[in-house]
């Protein structure tokens, strides 16, 4: 799993619960934003990422570990994380 596939993670976890998009979005964002995230048309602000992962029961350290795994054609920074994953991880841990 990598940052580029965040929408797939959200959809699979939401459907596994099961939970409607409206239920997941309640108090966090709009239902249409969940749809855009799941369709990978949009990547939300990190505060929304944290709230969605929490509501779905996905610990942030587990998500960061999944993101940091190198997939085909992905470049890693010196930290071992992809460029996008490294930026997200840095922001989360400095907050």
């Amino acid at each position: 799993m990598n940052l580029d596939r965040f929408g797939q993670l959200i959809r699979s976890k939401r459907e596994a619960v099961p939970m409607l998009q409206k239920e997941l979005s309640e108090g966090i964002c709009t239902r249409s934003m969940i749809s855009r995230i799941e369709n990978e048309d949009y990547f939300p602000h990190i505060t929304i990422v944290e709230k969605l992962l929490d509501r779905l029961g996905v610990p942030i350290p587990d998500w960061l570990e999944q993101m940091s795994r190198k997939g085909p054609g992905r470049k890693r920074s010196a930290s071992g994380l992809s460029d996008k994953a490294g930026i997200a991880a840095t922001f989360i841990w400095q907050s």
Side-chain angles (χ1 to χ4, degrees), residues 2-72:
N2 60 50
L3 192 59
D4 299 327
R5 291 190 172 72
F6 179 71
Q8 292 175 9
L9 171 71
I10 293 298
R11 175 175 282 152
S12 67
K13 295 294 183 181
R14 180 182 62 77
E15 290 176 346
V17 170
M19 183 183 293
L20 298 173
Q21 288 180 341
K22 182 177 179 170
E23 294 170 315
L24 176 58
S25 67
E26 193 171 317
I28 298 173
C29 60
T30 64
R31 190 223 43 89
S32 63
M33 184 182 286
I34 297 296
S35 178
R36 289 183 62 209
I37 291 167
E38 290 183 354
N39 289 320
E40 298 184 6
D41 292 332
Y42 176 75
F43 189 86
H45 187 272
I46 196 68
T47 57
I48 292 175
V49 170
E50 290 178 298
K51 290 175 183 180
L52 293 175
L53 292 174
D54 182 59
R55 183 155 297 165
L56 292 169
V58 178
I60 290 174
D62 290 358
W63 176 64
L64 290 173
E65 174 62 29
Q66 289 176 344
M67 266 190 350
S68 69
R69 294 185 188 140
K70 187 174 182 182

